[in-house]
Amino acid sequence: MIADLLTIVLVSAGAVFFLAGTVGLLRFPDPLSRLHALTKADSLGLGLIALGLVPQAGSVWMALKLLLVWLLVLAGSTAAGQMLARLHRAEAADD
């Protein structure tokens, strides 16, 4: 019962952060602030969802897989965000 409640709370909070990142993507004025809002909110949202699913995992191995997926996505989105920011800065310098 407590594990189910914890899952509902954390997954719902993660969905709220995903929604906030999407709103930031649509509302912020320049590409760098859009990118910042999206990467930060999505990283935290996915982390909350992964942590919310850990109590529902059948084994420790499955819980570790969930956390590993979150860490890999965190590293990948950080690298992609850096590359997009550098590309935007290089294009802005050309203009």
Side-chain angles (χ1 to χ4, degrees), residues 1-65:
M1 175 86 168
I2 294 174
D4 293 338
L5 184 61
L6 182 66
T7 297
I8 291 169
V9 168
L10 288 173
V11 170
S12 297
V16 168
F17 275 98
F18 273 123
L19 181 64
T22 303
V23 169
L25 176 68
L26 297 174
R27 300 280 303 187
F28 283 157
D30 61 305
L32 292 179
S33 61
R34 289 179 189 159
L35 182 64
H36 175 76
L38 191 63
T39 55
K40 298 300 177 191
D42 284 356
S43 297
L44 183 59
L46 182 61
L48 287 171
I49 289 174
L51 286 175
L53 293 177
V54 164
Q56 302 300 323
S59 64
V60 174
W61 178 242
M62 190 62 72
L64 288 175
K65 281 184 186 180

